[in-house]
Amino acid sequence: MNPKNFILLLLPLFLLSFSEGNAQENLMYPKNEFRAVWIATVVNIDWPKSGADPVEKQKADYLEILDTYKKLNYNAVIVQIRSVGDAFYPSKLAPWSKYLTGKEGQAPNPYFDPLEWMITQAHNRGFEFHAWLNPYRATMDLKTEALSPEHDYFKHPEWMIKYGGKYYYNPALPEVQTHLIAVVDEVVRNYDIDAIHFDDYFYPYKITGENFNDTESFKKYGNGMKLDDWRRLNVNNFVKYTSYSIKSIKPWVQFGISPFGVWRNKSVDPKGSDTQSGQTNYDDLFADPMEWMEHSWVDYILPQLYWSLDHRTASYSKLIKWWSENSKNTAVYIGNGSYKVNADSDKRWNNPSEIPNQIDVTRSYKNINGNAFFSAKSFVNKNKAVTKLLMENQYKYPALPNVVPNSRKTVIDIPTVCSTTNNENSCTYTLNYPLESKVRYVMVYGAKNNSKIDVNDPSQIIDKIAFTEKKDAINIVIKNNLLDPNYNYAISFVDFYGNESEATLLNTTSQTNIIQSPSNNENRQ
């Protein structure tokens, strides 16, 4: 488009207050919805494809994942940055991961900080970045000769328990808990992340005939408790103090956990789900999501429901209903097993509509506000029949992630345009610098001249621009291919908690109104 044909006039700015009840909830196209994908690095599941790959190839492969999910209108990535006592970032507490460089303890060459780079690239594409850590797993095998001398296996052998062909940190030791919280703190302090994320690996999944040998710790610290209750207390204390630590450093950084999908079976506990799961959170992993939610130690819970809708022993339909009825004090999202598409003994996964149907079921529960998918490689140049359905239906339009629970507030700063500059390829708007709010993004909305701009309508989202400048004014660049002379445009700020400001009408040749009302999902505080 020729910029001369799009004359941007600086008219008085229209700032309208939010009004109650203007927007109806649209389950098909929600404005706010968590849409995440796990990017697994352990044993190079998703990325990097090999620790031996050159840095430039690794970067290109990561960007391919981001760009794939950007086109699918996802808005969050959950990236594994610590899987086995290692790190995908320069750390004083752990060696470089062999899954990144091919050899544990070896830095990238040419040197760069992969985590800082990954976060920047994700934010530039409008994604939240959830830093995923496996706290308790120390190794994937018993080949200790391949470990760095800086690995905790050598520095603190008294912390380790051998089990199932791996080594684990002993969750009972106070010094282990202190160390693992320090690992989390290092990431929260040093990086501009949106969340810390733990998955389902707490005490390891039980193996028939093998004992997790924490007998000495139990004798020392058990204090007369039953073994199972004591183990759950160890996990609960770790979750609690991790939460407190994160919020004391950066209160906007979320803490999320994606537990195994079954809390307890109803056959064991009448409060449990109508399932016949061989292992459960409470009884086998000694993880109690109900306790975490009761005390608001997590911002979101993301149970892994990696079964088909009508699975015989653990159906998605039954489990999502159970989690909906038993969740409180936190955001609730659902984990979906996209890795099973066309690759599972349950032939329901051969139906391209299985994942879209699961999303539809998720949206039927008002207190469940999104999904995450394991794992990234499932939709990168694969399973295109599924992605086509998502792009045409459930994920046709973008969506913003939800506000951090218990953090909904008014964004005082509102965008004010100071000047406008056109060139051949783009239009640059110079905005006032927000002084009262910590801004993460600038949202751009557009509607045809004869339509009202409705900031609650996701079909009107034009762009989501990462806020990076720290000067007295901000420059927002909108590419000309996103601009249309027959449209009106508006912009808003989104803060670090996910709250959105009132919108400002940009430039127009005719007056228009902006429909603004509170975000959907008001059940989430």
Side-chain angles (χ1 to χ4, degrees):
M1 183 188 93
N2 188 329
K4 294 180 181 179
N5 294 333
F6 188 74
I7 302 173
L8 300 172
L9 302 177
L10 281 175
L11 298 178
L13 302 174
F14 295 88
L15 303 176
L16 301 182
S17 298
F18 281 92
S19 59
E20 296 287 343
N22 283 340
Q24 297 295 316
E25 185 175 11
N26 187 333
L27 291 178
M28 189 63 184
Y29 303 123
K31 163 73 181 296
N32 291 89
E33 182 176 59
F34 188 70
R35 301 175 184 172
V37 60
W38 277 284
I39 301 177
T41 60
V42 66
V43 297
N44 303 106
I45 290 175
D46 291 309
W47 181 84
K49 293 182 179 178
S50 168
D53 284 344
V55 167
E56 289 309 309
K57 182 181 185 306
Q58 291 184 350
K59 287 184 174 182
D61 289 340
Y62 177 76
L63 294 181
E64 182 182 29
I65 292 173
L66 293 188
D67 292 340
T68 294
Y69 285 90
K70 172 75 171 176
K71 290 176 183 176
L72 284 169
N73 286 323
Y74 281 59
N75 54 33
V77 289
I78 305 170
V79 183
Q80 192 173 32
I81 64 167
R82 173 189 171 93
S83 61
V84 284
D86 55 2
F88 267 65
Y89 52 94
S91 173
K92 296 178 181 178
L93 302 172
W96 286 99
S97 174
K98 68 178 180 180
Y99 304 124
L100 177 70
T101 64
K103 181 180 179 181
E104 189 170 276
Q106 180 173 290
N109 184 22
Y111 183 85
F112 76 119
D113 185 335
L115 181 51
E116 182 178 37
W117 179 83
M118 288 191 293
I119 293 168
T120 298
Q121 296 302 320
H123 284 164
N124 285 347
R125 288 161 176 79
F127 291 103
E128 286 188 349
F129 189 98
H130 295 228
W132 166 20
L133 299 89
N134 297 105
Y136 292 140
R137 187 173 60 200
T139 71
M140 284 296 287
D141 53 40
L142 301 178
K143 299 176 182 177
T144 56
E145 67 277 5
L147 299 176
S148 162
E150 296 302 307
H151 193 283
D152 286 330
Y153 172 84
F154 292 116
K155 295 173 72 175
H156 297 284
E158 72 279 9
W159 292 356
M160 300 293 152
I161 294 179
K162 181 181 175 182
Y163 182 79
K166 301 179 177 69
Y167 285 97
Y168 293 88
Y169 290 85
N170 184 350
L173 301 180
E175 54 270 34
V176 164
Q177 296 203 17
T178 299
H179 174 72
L180 295 178
I181 291 172
V183 168
V184 172
D185 286 357
E186 184 182 49
V187 175
V188 175
R189 290 184 191 280
N190 294 342
Y191 294 95
D192 187 20
I193 59 172
D194 298 283
I196 288 289
H197 180 93
F198 293 166
D199 59 11
D200 54 321
Y201 291 107
F202 292 95
Y203 278 84
Y205 284 88
K206 287 184 177 177
I207 300 171
T208 302
E210 190 164 353
N211 177 50
F212 189 79
N213 189 9
D214 54 0
T215 304
E216 291 302 315
S217 301
F218 183 49
K219 288 179 181 178
K220 185 174 182 179
Y221 299 110
N223 198 28
M225 299 179 68
K226 293 180 179 179
L227 177 63
D228 288 8
D229 291 337
W230 172 74
R231 286 176 172 174
R232 276 187 290 273
L233 179 63
N234 293 331
V235 174
N236 286 342
N237 282 338
F238 177 57
V239 169
K240 174 171 64 175
Y241 292 118
T242 297
S243 175
Y244 291 170
S245 187
I246 292 169
K247 297 302 181 181
S248 70
I249 299 169
K250 292 178 180 175
W252 60 87
V253 171
Q254 300 175 71
F255 183 28
I257 298 181
S258 56
F260 180 68
V262 180
W263 175 66
R264 301 189 87 185
N265 293 316
K266 184 181 287 187
S267 59
V268 174
D269 186 328
K271 298 191 296 291
S273 54
D274 183 16
T275 49
Q276 296 84 46
S277 179
Q279 300 204 43
T280 66
N281 277 296
Y282 189 91
D283 299 294
D284 300 288
L285 306 181
F286 308 105
D288 189 2
M290 301 301 106
E291 188 80 2
W292 311 336
M293 290 189 288
E294 175 70 30
H295 297 285
S296 300
W297 293 334
V298 292
D299 292 296
Y300 68 82
I301 200 83
L302 207 172
Q304 300 173 18
L305 307 191
Y306 293 167
W307 300 279
S308 59
L309 282 164
D310 301 313
H311 191 274
R312 182 174 57 85
T313 60
S315 86
Y316 186 95
S317 301
K318 289 181 179 179
L319 278 166
I320 194 172
K321 182 176 186 294
W322 186 90
W323 283 98
S324 173
E325 293 171 350
N326 290 276
S327 299
K328 59 182 176 180
N329 300 335
T330 185
V332 186
Y333 312 129
I334 299 298
N336 303 71
S338 54
Y339 72 98
K340 289 188 173 181
V341 174
N342 295 318
D344 195 72
S345 58
D346 180 355
K347 297 309 176 186
R348 296 175 184 87
W349 289 101
N350 294 345
N351 180 355
S353 295
E354 179 65 28
I355 287 287
N357 289 343
Q358 290 188 4
I359 295 171
D360 288 343
V361 170
T362 303
R363 288 176 176 171
S364 71
Y365 293 93
K366 290 190 69 174
N367 65 328
I368 300 180
N369 302 123
N371 301 80
F373 298 81
F374 187 86
S375 67
K377 66 182 181 183
S378 303
F379 290 156
V380 178
N381 300 316
K382 287 175 63 178
N383 300 314
K384 293 184 178 180
V386 180
T387 57
K388 183 174 186 292
L389 287 173
L390 293 178
M391 292 177 71
E392 292 176 350
N393 298 284
Q394 286 78 11
Y395 290 174
K396 184 176 182 178
Y397 300 119
L400 273 66
N402 297 288
V403 177
V404 176
N406 305 308
S407 301
R408 190 175 296 283
K409 59 184 178 180
T410 300
V411 179
I412 297 173
D413 292 284
I414 299 169
T416 301
V417 179
C418 304
S419 64
T420 308
T421 305
N422 287 305
N423 62 35
E424 185 177 350
N425 299 312
S426 63
C427 183
T428 300
Y429 298 88
T430 301
L431 309 179
N432 63 306
Y433 190 88
L435 299 177
E436 304 295 332
S437 311
K438 194 169 178 61
V439 170
R440 171 71 81 194
Y441 294 108
V442 176
M443 296 300 302
V444 183
Y445 298 91
K448 289 185 178 180
N449 282 340
N450 59 356
S451 301
K452 293 180 180 179
I453 292 179
D454 181 357
V455 297
N456 300 297
D457 181 353
S459 70
Q460 293 189 11
I461 295 174
I462 303 297
D463 204 2
K464 184 180 184 183
I465 301 172
F467 183 98
T468 57
E469 298 192 42
K470 299 178 180 178
K471 304 175 184 177
D472 294 334
I474 333 156
N475 290 321
I476 298 298
V477 179
I478 304 177
K479 295 178 181 179
N480 282 342
N481 62 354
L482 298 177
L483 298 174
D484 187 315
N486 298 313
Y487 271 56
N488 298 305
Y489 294 90
I491 56 175
S492 64
F493 287 145
V494 177
D495 72 6
F496 273 48
Y497 295 91
N499 295 292
E500 188 171 9
S501 74
E502 293 179 6
T504 297
L505 190 66
L506 274 184
N507 311 278
T508 179
T509 55
S510 62
Q511 289 192 5
T512 187
N513 293 322
I514 304 174
I515 300 174
Q516 299 188 115
S517 64
S519 298
N520 294 332
N521 305 322
E522 284 301 306
N523 54 293
R524 295 185 61 242
Q525 300 299 316

